[in-house]
Amino acid sequence: MKNLVILHEGNAKPTHDNHLIIQLIQHLNLDIQSIDFYPMGRKSNFFKLGSDPYLLLKSGVENKQIQKILFIIDADYVENDIKYGGYENTENKLNQIIKELGFEKISDIFIMCDPILKTGYLESFILSTIPEAQRKCIEDFLNCSEFKSKENHKAILNQIYKIAYPQSPYDFKHSHFDELKEKLRLLFENKGGH
Amino acid sequence: MDSHFLTDIDIIDFKCFQNFSAKGFKRVNLIGGKNNIGKTAFMEACYINVFAKDMKSMLFTFIDIKVIREKANLITKDLGVGKMGNYLRANKYYDVKSNVNCQTFKSIEKDVKKEYHFNINNVLTNIGADVNIYTIIQNTELYNHEDGEDKIANSNTCFIDSFGKGDDSLIKLYQTIQKQDKEHELNNLIKKFDSSITNFKVIGDKPQCKTNDKYRDLTEFGDGLKHYISIICALYACKNGYLFIDEIDNGIYYDQLDRLWEIILTISKETNCQVFATTHSKEMIESFARISQKLNEQDISYTTLVKNDKNEVKALVQSYGMFMYSMNFEHEVR
């Protein structure tokens, strides 16, 4: 059991979410081997107290094996989910669950969204880091298309992004990455060595 | 969950354990953790807890665990009562409570003599400083170690150390196979382990395997085969009981691990035997996960023993769901 944990959305080990996080950790020259990634599947799983990943985390935290946890979760849209959708709901509900788990002192949260609009998900965050003209072009395409569901929307956006920027997947120098960089640095700071 | 299974245990004081608590054990339980963390000591604590129903059986287990530990250093038949007294002295405290039994043992120095205090399920027995513990040992079947071995073999609790069972114990275990008419099943499983072995028998006082039309002593074969046969025989012998296997993968080639787990998971279900096993091997842990999933056998647990920031030993007990989650996402579980 490693003493640093990142929880993220997605089901498989290599998800688009943790791909970006892994790349950024490596970009920051932090030790990727110190991290256990906990894929949580759908966003709603973050709010299930008795789930297997939370039972594992609780056991690790109670026995002082896990020192710090970073929750990375999509904001989504309040109009799609009145309970958990939107930045504010996500933040409030996640803080509530962290409190119920007893993880307040060792946890931090990063909510994936367009940092200006405070809505969306990982793809909205990435889109916010590319030049204005290209971003508008992609946004217009998505708005005009009939692909309304989150998963379709995300898949298309990913594909366009890959075609448009095959050589440089992420612009880590963009200021929108600063908050996530800081949270990752804090996660690795003073890490112990069980 | 069968009512006789040990599910929860509090080890208040025993060897490296102080205020240790673990909950959530199932029918088949694998224990991992680093060297010297206390995996064997944990199994010893459980073994004593489920076996010791009175003072005599508790004395027996104290001596037995020490005999097992000292196996490499002695010829068991040379055990004398004096040596057994030394082994008993090796245990100063044993304070363990589980859903099965509650026992406390203390040995207290009084001048040059010792007092022994037993509390087994609220039955108190004190052996005063004026009583020679050796007399107690001599007056029980403990004095004769062969009888002791008999007692183990005839009970439905068995502790297999990393060397596997010796010939005498294995023969006793094999007798339970014979009583249950399971010789054919055992032979089939041995053939799967090594296709050149066509039969297993006890001839005289020696377990033997037939290969190339000739019977040879089991000791002439590798340790893995003896360990494998010991485990299968013990699974049948421990019907409605408990089987403890230390360093389960010892001597077993990696391509036999899945088969071994399939045998353990299947026979333990048939005989209603609770199994605890220890390992260091990542391959063994992966095999345990793979076969549990393949058989959809959820009555299992995986426990990692760890040390916390105060250097205390703690248990991370994972249920089937937690274990599968950890393995699927390649978390470090050893």
Side-chain angles (χ1 to χ4, degrees):
Chain A
M1 185 171 275
K2 293 170 182 171
N3 53 22
L4 305 181
V5 169
I6 292 178
L7 279 79
H8 60 89
E9 293 189 35
N11 276 312
K13 191 170 176 267
T15 64
H16 194 226
D17 295 62
N18 79 5
H19 182 254
L20 173 126
I21 300 158
I22 289 167
Q23 297 260 317
L24 184 52
I25 288 170
Q26 287 167 341
H27 173 80
L28 295 170
N29 285 322
L30 300 170
D31 178 16
I32 193 80
Q33 300 304 325
S34 311
I35 293 275
D36 263 340
F37 287 96
Y38 278 56
M40 297 294 285
R42 299 170 70 86
K43 182 179 177 180
S44 57
N45 291 337
F46 276 85
F47 307 104
K48 291 175 184 167
L49 262 182
S51 66
D52 288 325
Y54 280 155
L55 292 173
L56 273 170
L57 281 174
K58 264 186 93 68
S59 171
V61 171
E62 283 166 5
N63 290 298
K64 313 283 183 205
Q65 302 302 299
I66 293 172
Q67 291 186 340
K68 291 184 189 177
I69 306 168
L70 178 60
F71 290 76
I72 299 180
I73 187 168
D74 290 344
D76 293 324
Y77 298 92
V78 71
E79 51 270 34
N80 294 340
D81 181 350
I82 198 155
K83 195 174 177 187
Y84 300 118
Y87 192 97
E88 205 174 317
N89 277 340
T90 303
E91 188 176 39
N92 290 341
K93 295 290 180 192
L94 195 55
N95 277 325
Q96 193 179 321
I97 208 89
I98 288 170
K99 194 174 175 188
E100 285 175 51
L101 288 162
F103 296 169
E104 307 101 296
K105 288 181 182 168
I106 57 164
S107 295
D108 199 0
I109 296 173
F110 181 79
I111 300 175
M112 283 287 186
C113 60
D114 180 316
I116 310 295
L117 302 172
K118 296 279 182 189
T119 55
Y121 21 80
L122 174 86
E123 288 70 15
S124 322
F125 175 76
I126 297 168
L127 207 55
S128 79
T129 65
I130 64 175
E132 177 69 24
Q134 283 95 328
R135 187 176 79 229
K136 194 162 183 334
C137 179
I138 294 173
E139 280 174 350
D140 286 346
F141 170 77
L142 290 171
N143 287 337
C144 295
S145 73
E146 294 298 313
F147 303 111
K148 297 295 182 194
S149 84
K150 175 180 169 178
E151 289 316 309
N152 279 341
H153 195 134
K154 288 176 79 157
I156 292 160
L157 206 155
N158 275 332
Q159 199 55 36
I160 295 171
Y161 189 84
K162 266 191 229 166
I163 294 165
Y165 302 94
Q167 301 306 320
S168 56
Y170 309 111
D171 178 10
F172 290 138
K173 287 180 182 161
H174 195 283
S175 62
H176 285 178
F177 275 101
D178 289 351
E179 186 190 348
L180 182 55
K181 282 183 193 170
E182 184 59 16
K183 285 182 185 287
L184 286 171
R185 284 198 190 98
L186 284 170
L187 181 70
F188 282 81
E189 206 171 76
N190 300 324
K191 73 180 178 69
H194 276 294
Chain B
M1 176 69 70
D2 193 271
S3 59
H4 84 273
F5 287 173
L6 187 154
T7 57
D8 306 349
I9 190 163
D10 292 326
I11 308 176
I12 293 115
D13 196 354
F14 178 66
K15 294 196 171 181
C16 57
F17 296 97
Q18 246 115 41
N19 298 319
F20 170 94
S21 185
K23 295 181 196 319
F25 295 112
K26 305 288 184 179
R27 194 182 77 248
V28 179
N29 308 278
L30 183 61
I31 320 290
K34 293 178 181 172
N35 284 115
N36 297 321
I37 197 82
K39 295 185 291 296
T40 305
F42 169 75
M43 291 224 300
E44 288 169 348
C46 295
Y47 169 57
I48 296 167
N49 182 260
V50 298
F51 190 86
K53 307 287 185 195
D54 52 33
M55 185 192 74
K56 287 181 182 176
S57 53
M58 188 173 226
L59 283 170
F60 176 83
T61 52
F62 284 159
I63 293 169
D64 193 52
I65 59 166
K66 190 66 179 164
V67 169
I68 290 168
R69 290 262 190 168
E70 294 282 342
K71 205 179 214 176
N73 296 329
L74 49 80
I75 301 164
T76 52
K77 287 183 180 176
D78 286 347
L79 272 171
V81 71
K83 196 163 268 181
M84 286 193 175
N86 291 340
Y87 288 170
L88 183 61
R89 273 202 293 274
N91 288 290
K92 287 185 177 165
Y93 301 102
Y94 177 84
D95 190 353
V96 175
K97 292 172 177 51
S98 78
N99 62 305
V100 179
N101 286 311
C102 296
Q103 303 118 331
T104 308
F105 165 81
K106 278 181 202 166
S107 71
I108 299 165
E109 295 268 358
K110 264 203 170 169
D111 300 325
V112 290
K113 291 186 175 176
K114 282 197 170 188
E115 284 184 358
Y116 299 91
H117 298 261
F118 298 84
N119 181 346
I120 300 169
N121 296 326
N122 292 323
V123 176
L124 304 175
T125 313
N126 293 331
I127 299 174
D130 55 329
V131 177
N132 190 340
I133 189 74
Y134 297 164
T135 314
I136 305 278
I137 296 169
Q138 270 179 311
N139 288 337
T140 69
E141 65 274 32
L142 306 170
Y143 177 62
N144 185 324
H145 191 66
E146 280 304 298
D147 285 345
E149 287 278 336
D150 275 343
K151 185 168 180 176
I152 281 287
N154 292 332
S155 81
N156 58 358
T157 303
C158 183
F159 196 114
I160 299 177
D161 67 21
S162 54
F163 298 100
K165 284 295 189 189
D167 284 356
D168 291 343
S169 301
L170 186 55
I171 290 168
K172 302 275 166 44
L173 291 175
Y174 182 65
Q175 285 168 356
T176 64
I177 290 263
Q178 291 176 306
K179 282 176 193 164
Q180 294 176 44
D181 296 320
K182 297 291 181 187
E183 298 99 316
H184 182 66
E185 281 84 348
L186 175 65
N187 271 311
N188 277 342
L189 293 172
I190 292 172
K191 274 178 212 161
K192 285 178 182 169
F193 187 87
D194 181 342
S195 59
S196 73
I197 297 172
T198 52
N199 207 7
F200 173 84
K201 264 185 187 174
V202 174
I203 302 174
D205 60 353
K206 287 285 179 191
Q208 304 203 357
C209 286
K210 190 177 187 181
T211 175
N212 294 328
D213 286 330
K214 194 178 170 189
Y215 278 100
R216 287 163 50 202
D217 280 1
L218 183 58
T219 49
E220 291 179 31
F221 295 82
D223 284 347
L225 180 63
K226 189 172 71 167
H227 207 56
Y228 180 81
I229 295 173
S230 299
I231 291 169
I232 297 167
C233 291
L235 280 164
Y236 284 110
C238 297
K239 193 172 184 177
N240 297 318
Y242 309 89
L243 173 58
F244 299 90
I245 312 165
D246 200 16
E247 296 188 29
I248 183 167
D249 47 304
N250 197 30
I252 311 275
Y253 194 58
Y254 75 94
D255 69 354
Q256 299 284 353
L257 301 182
D258 284 8
R259 175 168 300 114
L260 183 60
W261 280 122
E262 199 152 345
I263 290 167
I264 290 171
L265 289 165
T266 309
I267 302 179
S268 68
K269 195 171 197 170
E270 184 185 327
T271 59
N272 197 29
C273 168
Q274 187 176 29
V275 179
F276 289 85
T278 66
T279 189
H280 291 110
S281 157
K282 189 180 177 200
E283 284 167 337
M284 197 66 190
I285 299 166
E286 288 167 350
S287 171
F288 182 49
R290 187 165 54 245
I291 300 305
S292 302
Q293 196 163 29
K294 179 185 155 191
L295 301 178
N296 191 26
E297 180 52 79
Q298 302 197 15
D299 201 1
I300 62 130
S301 79
Y302 175 71
T303 298
T304 317
L305 295 183
V306 294
K307 282 191 178 171
N308 69 7
D309 51 347
K310 292 174 186 157
N311 223 23
E312 298 164 327
V313 183
K314 298 290 173 188
L316 310 176
V317 184
Q318 298 185 19
S319 65
Y320 173 85
M322 293 158 78
F323 182 45
M324 290 306 150
Y325 181 88
S326 293
M327 297 306 289
N328 287 340
F329 297 116
E330 297 175 23
H331 293 165
E332 177 63 56
V333 294
R334 275 186 297 177

